[in-house]
Amino acid sequence: MDRPVWAPPGIDISVPSVSRIYDFYLGGSHNFEVDREAARKAMEFLPGLPKIMQANRAFMRRAVRFAVAEGVTQFLDIGSGIPTFGNVHEVAQAAGPGSRVVYVDHDPVAVAHSRAVLDGNEEADVLMADLRKPREILTAEQVDRLIDLDRPVALLLVAVLHFVEDRDDPYAAVAELRDALAPGSLFVVTHAAYEGIPVEQEQAAGTVNVYKDIRNPLIMRTREEIARFFEGYDMVEPGLVPMSRWRPDTAPEEEDPYSFSGFVGVGRKA
């Protein structure tokens, strides 16, 4: 297998990566055949996966614009993935010049491409770290330089919590991050769930099994389990809802049925 020039040294390009699979769903070019093969297998059960990912990105952009409108101009995006058009820093800095962004991911391809995209942008940076180790994120040089934790921060956990197994206690990680943030901070979440997917659960479980087979388990939590992540936050209207129902730019009835899969929400720290 030929190694592309953009692939960082040391990564195993024979093993699928969640962030590169996500890049493939979004029509990106920074993925390998092994990622595309896994994505195609997952799409055999959920052919609307690209629509889900597009709706996920659209919600993220709406949430970032909402944050800026609320006066929050610091963003900590954990599990940020491979940069695509309309990334957090682009949306935030267009809506609020001077907005500061720190991306965090543990995938070296995502980090390498984020560095390339952010070259010359003094108000955005990227950090290689893992959500499961929040202290390493909070004490990182990039966060210390760009994020003032004494002022409100928008913490984004977009399409990442469903890749953290219960045995790794994602609730504790979220609580540690929450407790480090100032009052008025916002918490932006998207999370996969069986609820809302326009196919039978047994069929959707086929996609879950594909991710299990590539050793990146996809944890489909219930609405109640996802709501637990917002403990300590007051939910912003309209609450914890399907992606296309959170302050949509277009009428929900015009959206693809797959765009109602899973749940999204924004919370505010009192």
Side-chain angles (χ1 to χ4, degrees), residues 35-193:
D35 306 307
R36 296 188 285 273
E37 181 181 354
R40 287 190 287 264
K41 285 182 180 177
M43 289 170 63
E44 289 177 8
F45 302 98
L46 290 178
L49 276 168
K51 291 292 185 183
I52 294 175
M53 305 312 166
Q54 291 163 18
N56 183 76
R57 296 284 298 183
F59 160 76
M60 178 273 288
R61 291 190 286 268
R62 296 196 303 276
V64 169
R65 288 193 293 266
F66 169 79
V68 172
E70 293 291 299
V72 179
T73 56
Q74 303 187 106
F75 296 84
L76 183 57
D77 183 1
I78 303 177
S80 50
I82 295 170
T84 59
F85 176 75
N87 244 37
V88 171
H89 74 282
E90 295 172 327
V91 177
Q93 291 173 354
S99 293
R100 297 187 166 201
V101 179
V102 174
Y103 293 113
V104 181
D105 208 289
H106 70 285
D107 185 315
V109 172
V111 172
H113 280 280
S114 294
R115 286 197 180 114
V117 167
L118 297 174
D119 185 38
N121 190 328
E122 297 298 323
E123 295 174 324
D125 207 343
V126 61
L127 163 68
M128 182 178 288
D130 195 311
L131 168 62
R132 294 169 294 186
K133 298 178 180 179
R135 181 52 42 189
E136 293 183 7
I137 296 172
L138 293 167
T139 59
E141 181 276 330
Q142 295 91 327
V143 173
D144 182 64
R145 181 172 65 85
L146 288 174
I147 304 294
D148 180 357
L149 294 175
D150 292 326
R151 293 176 46 240
V153 175
L155 170 63
L156 282 73
L157 298 182
V158 175
V160 63
L161 284 169
H162 49 234
F163 290 113
V164 183
E165 298 180 80
D166 288 339
R167 66 183 181 183
D168 290 320
D169 202 353
Y171 295 104
V174 169
E176 186 169 350
L177 291 165
R178 177 197 66 217
D179 291 346
L181 302 182
S185 292
L186 299 175
F187 180 41
V188 179
V189 170
T190 74
H191 200 299

